[in-house]
Amino acid sequence: MTHAAFAALHRPGDPLVLPNVWDFASAAALVGAGFTVLGTTSLGVAAAHGPPDGQGLGRTETLDLARRLQPLPALLTVDIEAGFSDDPAQVAELVVGLVGAGVVGVNLEDGRADGTLSPVDFQVDKIRAIKARVPAVFVNARTDTHWLAGAAAPQLSETVGRLEAYRAAGADAVFVPGLADDDDIRTVIRTVDAPLNVLFIPGWHTVAQLADLGVARISCGSLLFRAAIQAAVDAAKSVLNGQSLPAVPSYADVNALASAGDPAGPLHHLLGG
Amino acid sequence: MTHAAFAALHRPGDPLVLPNVWDFASAAALVGAGFTVLGTTSLGVAAAHGPPDGQGLGRTETLDLARRLQPLPALLTVDIEAGFSDDPAQVAELVVGLVGAGVVGVNLEDGRADGTLSPVDFQVDKIRAIKARVPAVFVNARTDTHWLAGAAAPQLSETVGRLEAYRAAGADAVFVPGLADDDDIRTVIRTVDAPLNVLFIPGWHTVAQLADLGVARISCGSLLFRAAIQAAVDAAKSVLNGQSLPAVPSYADVNALASAGDPAGPLHHLLGG
């Protein structure tokens, strides 16, 4: 059966808010601040590593990150993009490796690098292959009808049709990044019999508003990563220009995090967990 | 001869301000914001990767990071801690590898994991080995007299003695993290015939004040990394608590950075470079 503790956190009206991490430090700091469930951001992981220098690197980096995060006392769900393969058996094999590293869930998306959506049957085959091989893993099936560039006027009927097919194939939850209209969110929740995950969009809905709409899970996506990068650049410019800097954890606190990743350690206090 | 363009940036009274990076994203974002010289932070690199899982990992990660940053149009100097070896030949071999990846300088420190300082001769042998093997590399010799835990009342004579020995062994500049007293800074600059590098300490000196003292180089150390981690945690808590978030670069902008690292790209504008 699907990992019960993780599945139980997907409550319509009382959503799981998922911070997304990209390396050990971001994960350990969030655990230190009190977060006990983490996702990964494929954008952050890719950007932290730089331009890909070979085929299959995303797959390798994704597995490597999961293994590095394994010591942390948190439930981890991993963004595997489209599975880094067109072969459902290969995608399932990746999930076997991730679950072996302690991962409880994966996000699988139907958007492709060329900006188009995978055929529904293609995506259904991947979901079926994963659930057949690793029934316990929580599959969050993502459709990119509202996310891909050029999808200026996405058809909600296409979204719903895809989500229903993914759910029937065994998906445990469904994810529509970019779905932001209240009526559209209500329609998907009413029509598709699965917990709905949406992406948090700063300045749009609050968590409380999304809860009221019936959302079951809210992802931060690349937001924390982007905030981190901006803060680094801002700090460098503040040093250069003689401006004041925001409060940051001490060297000793981050050193403790680097060497131990202990959520009961000093970062817990310092980062306000 | 030592890399001339990099050496020329070490001007007493008009110091090189060095932001320190830990992954491709932090480096590319800083280049995008207009910084053309970067250092690395060994703390940030270690924390990003998590607890070491084997001997020699620091060495591998340091080389790997240098290779990933090579495509960026910036001069890069790398923190190699104590060289990841007690064998001067092995330390020199690491520097050969780094220079092969386009690195122009290294930081070599005399602090040890047990909180003590290496014997001076031991450190001198490493500097000599590096400069004999790779004369072009800019060696920034760091003494941890003012940095190590327990060094509550460091003796400036010890600091000066070490720096003079390192300079005589071929060091191109000297670095005393934690050196913060105005008179001490002046004494080191007056006594040791080498450009002085100090660590930027928020709320203590400004860059302008350190310039007035005659400092030639200012490192941010782990400051930017710590600001980034804090910003990620703050953003997650703001999402959870319905608070407003700071402005961050867009997904598309960071995606462009991840795939290209182009300093003339959208990040340049967005991050205010």
Side-chain angles (χ1 to χ4, degrees), chain B residues 102-184:
Chain B
V103 166
V104 298
V106 294
N107 273 19
L108 183 75
E109 70 196 35
D110 60 13
R112 297 193 287 200
D114 66 0
T116 65
L117 294 170
S118 294
V120 174
D121 289 350
F122 191 89
Q123 198 67 3
V124 160
D125 286 347
K126 287 185 181 179
I127 295 167
R128 283 198 179 123
I130 294 169
K131 293 298 286 192
R133 191 82 194 283
V134 197
V137 76
F138 190 97
V139 173
N140 191 30
R142 164 176 156 174
T143 184
D144 284 338
T145 52
H146 288 63
W147 185 246
L148 290 173
Q155 296 297 312
L156 204 60
S157 57
E158 167 82 8
T159 308
V160 166
R162 284 181 171 265
L163 297 183
E164 288 181 326
Y166 302 160
R167 175 62 158 174
D172 298 281
V174 295
F175 181 24
V176 192
L179 185 71
D181 176 83
D182 285 14
D183 286 339
D184 289 350

Side-chain angles (χ1 to χ4, degrees), chain B residues 19-254:
Chain B
N20 299 75
V21 305
W22 57 95
D23 63 10
F24 181 85
S26 53
L30 285 159
V31 171
F35 289 88
T36 55
V37 189
L38 306 175
T40 64
T41 158
S42 63
L43 173 66
V45 174
H49 284 87
D53 55 15
Q55 288 299 316
L57 193 66
R59 178 188 170 104
T60 303
E61 287 166 352
T62 299
L63 260 172
D64 183 55
L65 179 60
R67 289 177 182 139
R68 288 183 187 275
L69 301 190
Q70 193 170 3
L72 293 173
L75 296 176
L76 180 67
T77 177
V78 171
D79 178 356
I80 61 170
E81 303 187 358
F84 307 111
S85 172
D86 287 341
D87 177 1
Q90 283 296 311
V91 177
E93 188 61 31
L94 170 61
V95 177
V96 169
L98 289 169
V99 169
V103 166
V104 298
V106 294
N107 273 19
L108 183 75
E109 70 196 35
D110 60 13
R112 297 193 287 200
D114 66 0
T116 65
L117 294 170
S118 294
V120 174
D121 289 350
F122 191 89
Q123 198 67 3
V124 160
D125 286 347
K126 287 185 181 179
I127 295 167
R128 283 198 179 123
I130 294 169
K131 293 298 286 192
R133 191 82 194 283
V134 197
V137 76
F138 190 97
V139 173
N140 191 30
R142 164 176 156 174
T143 184
D144 284 338
T145 52
H146 288 63
W147 185 246
L148 290 173
Q155 296 297 312
L156 204 60
S157 57
E158 167 82 8
T159 308
V160 166
R162 284 181 171 265
L163 297 183
E164 288 181 326
Y166 302 160
R167 175 62 158 174
D172 298 281
V174 295
F175 181 24
V176 192
L179 185 71
D181 176 83
D182 285 14
D183 286 339
D184 289 350
I185 291 173
R186 285 194 198 95
T187 299
V188 172
I189 289 171
R190 192 175 55 237
T191 316
V192 183
D193 182 29
L196 176 64
N197 181 188
V198 299
L199 187 68
F200 181 83
I201 302 172
W204 194 246
H205 293 105
T206 62
V207 165
Q209 289 167 334
L210 291 170
D212 286 346
L213 289 169
V215 167
R217 170 166 159 178
I218 301 169
S219 300
C220 291
S222 62
L223 178 63
L224 312 189
F225 175 74
R226 292 183 280 130
I229 289 296
Q230 184 68 55
V233 170
D234 286 348
K237 289 161 69 179
S238 294
V239 170
L240 198 60
N241 300 327
Q243 294 158 338
S244 66
L245 287 142
V248 298
S250 72
Y251 179 93
D253 287 330
V254 174

